């Protein structure tokens, strides 16, 4: 089944991490459709005298050119990594409701399978959640997985799926299975960092069922339980030791879930800070 990703693009062409990650992670390019999105930081306005309107139009044109240039570079990155032009589309929009809200509206309108954020996009989301209204939007309205690409190392392989038995954890397992169903070069390690929970076998098997139901073969799945007194450190050590390309988590876990306050709690932020070389997939 074809995946449709919304890849957000900044005007810093040196750090288009989202496009670079997608280009290196997927081997079966034919099953992936990509929309590149640039949200220009200049909203259209009306009124003012002639000089103000001229200045407005001049600035608008500058931002449009920057956006088109960045979109062009991102497309070249994807084409250079084997994607076909017919599977890549570009969209430039001027900010209307705020960058985060505009991305959310676009993602919901087109029902993308995931939104890919590069370093700049991640920073925008990180800053915006400090506002209580925006935090509420994040909590209620985002119904799609987000892939956060801070400084990923290209050509890494495999996914570390962290599970805790919660519904978001199972939704992430389903998402991982959907993404990897036609990517046989990637394996999945289902990890439970054991801090004293019961029914660990049930937690692992429930996640495994989601992968199998999506067509991920048994031989590509492994289970791992690590006794832990610090979940973030446990995950970070495992990522570093085995060079996973992706860490996948549910956004809101149970009481001891690893991302109970997604992007807000100190534990989740610390996890992000420790994933320079791997990409974080988060699902509500």
């Amino acid at each position: 089944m074809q995946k449709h990703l919304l890849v957000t693009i900044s005007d810093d062409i040196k750090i288009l991490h989202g496009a670079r990650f997608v280009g290196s992670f997927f081997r079966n390019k034919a099953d992936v459709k990509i929309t590149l999105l640039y949200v220009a930081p200049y909203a259209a306005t009306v009124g003012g005298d002639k000089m103000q309107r001229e200045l407005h139009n001049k600035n608008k044109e500058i931002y449009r050119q920057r956006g088109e240039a960045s979109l062009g570079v991102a497309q070249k990155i994807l084409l250079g990594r084997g994607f076909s032009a017919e599977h890549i589309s570009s969209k430039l929009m001027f900010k209307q409701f705020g960058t985060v809200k505009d991305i959310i509206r676009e993602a919901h309108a087109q029902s993308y399978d995931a939104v890919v954020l590069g370093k700049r996009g991640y920073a925008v989301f990180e800053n915006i959640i400090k506002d209580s209204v925006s935090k509420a939007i994040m909590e209620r309205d985002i119904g799609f997985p987000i892939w956060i690409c801070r400084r990923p190392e290209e050509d890494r392989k495999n996914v570390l799926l962290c599970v805790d038995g919660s519904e978001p954890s199972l939704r992430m397992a389903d998402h991982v299975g959907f993404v990897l169903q036609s990517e046989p070069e990637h394996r999945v390690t289902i990890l439970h960092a054991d801090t004293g929970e019961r029914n660990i076998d049930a937690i692992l098997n429930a996640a495994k069922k989601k992968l199998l139901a999506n067509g991920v073969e048994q031989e590509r799945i492994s289970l791992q339980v690590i006794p832990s007194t610090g979940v973030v450190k446990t995950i970070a050590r495992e990522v570093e030791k085995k060079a996973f390309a992706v860490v996948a988590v549910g956004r809101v876990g149970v009481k001891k879930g690893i991302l109970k306050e997604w992007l807000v709690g100190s534990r989740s932020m610390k996890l992000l800070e420790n994933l320079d070389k791997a990409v974080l997939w988060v699902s509500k």
Side-chain angles (χ1 to χ4, degrees), residues 144-247:
F144 46 83
I146 290 178
W147 298 3
I148 303 173
C149 311
R150 292 186 64 225
R151 287 182 292 269
E153 186 174 76
E154 294 185 54
D155 299 319
R156 282 192 171 209
K157 293 173 59 177
N158 306 325
V159 174
L160 182 65
L161 171 61
C162 305
V163 298
D164 59 9
S166 65
E167 284 300 317
S169 175
L170 289 176
R171 283 193 287 273
M172 176 48 72
D174 185 62
H175 179 66
V176 169
F178 170 71
V179 174
L180 296 189
Q181 58 189 198
S182 56
E183 293 291 324
E185 292 188 30
H186 290 292
R187 298 177 55 85
V188 183
T189 296
I190 303 175
L191 171 69
H192 178 73
D194 181 17
T195 58
E197 293 88 349
R198 298 181 180 180
N199 302 319
I200 294 177
D201 287 344
I203 291 173
L204 295 172
N205 288 328
K208 183 178 179 181
K209 281 184 179 180
K210 292 289 186 181
L211 297 177
L212 293 171
N214 278 282
V216 178
E217 300 83 358
Q218 171 80 35
E219 56 269 25
R220 287 203 281 149
I221 304 171
S222 59
L223 308 179
Q224 187 170 12
V225 178
I226 301 177
S228 175
T229 56
V231 175
V232 171
K233 289 183 179 179
T234 298
I235 295 171
R237 281 197 300 265
E238 204 62 19
V239 172
E240 184 64 25
K241 183 168 62 175
K242 298 181 181 177
F244 286 98
V246 171
V247 176

Side-chain angles (χ1 to χ4, degrees), residues 4 9 35 44 50 61 66 102-103 137 139 141-142 173-174 192-193 210 229-230 234 247-248 256-257 263:
H4 192 180
I9 301 300
T35 295
K50 181 179 179 181
E61 179 62 17
R66 286 182 185 175
D102 289 340
I103 293 172
I137 292 170
E139 288 299 324
D141 293 347
I142 295 182
D174 185 62
H192 178 73
K210 292 289 186 181
T229 56
T234 298
V247 176
K256 295 182 180 180
L263 297 183

Side-chain angles (χ1 to χ4, degrees), residues 56-67:
H56 162 78
N57 291 332
K58 181 179 179 180
N59 288 337
K60 187 174 180 179
E61 179 62 17
I62 289 172
Y63 286 124
R64 184 188 66 78
Q65 291 178 7
R66 286 182 185 175

Side-chain angles (χ1 to χ4, degrees), residues 43 94-102 105 137:
F94 287 91
K95 184 166 58 176
Q96 299 180 53
F97 304 100
T99 303
V100 172
K101 292 180 183 179
D102 289 340
R105 287 167 63 90
I137 292 170

